[in-house]
Amino acid sequence: MSNEWDEYAATWENNEATATFAQACFKELTELTSLKRKSVLDFGCGTGLLSQLMSPETKEIVALDGSEAMIEELDKKGLENVEPVVDLLTRGLVAQHPAFRNQFDLVVASSVCGFLDNLQETVNIIYTLLDEYGLFVHWDWVAETDNQDYGLTLKRAKDTLLNAGFDKVDVTTPFEIDTGKGVRKVLMAVAHK
């Protein structure tokens, strides 16, 4: 499966902002919840920087990305408790792929949701993948309006999660990243099932 992100895979981690973003997400995540013995879905995992940070603490991680080249970079990390899956998150995938036979304690998405054309449908699927007290945490670039090419407004992030059925939703802007082309704020959305 080829997609537009394949061409970035080999040099993805060369950008200092990419590693800084993953480290900031991991810091916020570990301050929010314990990862001990958790079953995690890293949705839109890319080259697996966040999976790599979470791996020592978690029980298992399913690392899902639509880019085969990104997953190949993740594979090079040799993370024993990480199962890479090259595909898009659809109801068909969830129904058929063995990696989705059990529900997850935690779903994370780092700079993914703001790029999705079908955000509400994807979040609806994520809701069904979480166990009874599951947690969905995603980080995205803050957008000023809903019609930007990337990112999300805080309102859209919150409304999408509430519309999916999450009980408690918090959206904050805990950090910013110097992208090399300017400093951008990052939103963190935390949704409890």
Side-chain angles (χ1 to χ4, degrees):
M1 174 186 300
S2 175
N3 81 25
E4 63 196 80
W5 293 96
D6 285 350
E7 64 187 81
Y8 301 108
T11 59
W12 188 251
E13 294 181 22
N14 294 349
N15 183 340
E16 186 178 325
T18 303
T20 302
F21 195 105
Q23 290 161 356
C25 292
F26 181 71
K27 177 183 177 290
E28 293 296 326
L29 182 62
T30 54
E31 289 175 3
L32 174 71
T33 187
S34 169
L35 298 176
K36 293 274 188 225
R37 307 298 301 151
K38 290 219 169 114
S39 175
V40 180
L41 170 63
D42 186 353
F43 168 59
C45 65
T47 61
L49 285 170
L50 187 54
S51 283
Q52 186 175 24
L53 292 168
M54 293 187 297
S55 176
E57 300 284 322
T58 60
K59 177 182 173 186
E60 61 191 359
I61 299 172
V62 173
L64 175 69
D65 202 279
S67 166
E68 187 172 347
M70 289 283 191
I71 291 292
E72 287 171 1
E73 294 300 315
L74 166 64
D75 282 340
K76 292 176 185 175
K77 292 176 171 62
L79 305 172
E80 291 184 15
N81 64 338
V82 176
E83 180 177 351
V85 178
V86 181
D87 212 328
L88 302 176
L89 184 60
T90 63
R91 293 189 188 279
L93 173 71
V94 171
Q96 296 177 6
H97 199 288
F100 295 90
R101 66 185 165 275
N102 297 316
Q103 291 188 297
F104 297 95
D105 303 306
L106 172 67
V107 176
V108 296
S110 174
S111 189
V112 177
C113 295
F115 293 97
L116 297 175
D117 293 331
N118 57 346
L119 178 60
Q120 187 64 63
E121 175 62 14
T122 301
V123 172
N124 293 348
I125 293 169
I126 288 169
Y127 181 85
T128 68
L129 294 174
L130 286 164
D131 72 10
E132 185 178 357
Y133 300 104
L135 187 64
F136 174 38
V137 184
H138 74 87
W139 300 267
D140 281 282
W141 301 111
V142 174
E144 299 303 317
T145 65
D146 286 330
N147 56 3
Q148 284 183 231
D149 290 343
Y150 66 89
L152 295 170
T153 62
L154 276 64
K155 180 180 182 341
R156 182 169 180 221
K158 185 168 189 168
D159 290 349
T160 302
L161 293 164
L162 291 171
N163 289 339
F166 286 99
D167 285 336
K168 181 182 172 207
V169 175
D170 294 308
V171 181
T172 59
T173 54
F175 60 90
E176 48 189 41
I177 299 289
D178 185 347
T179 66
K181 298 177 183 175
V183 175
R184 290 190 188 160
K185 287 185 179 181
V186 176
L187 73 78
M188 176 173 152
V190 178
H192 298 264
K193 189 166 179 183

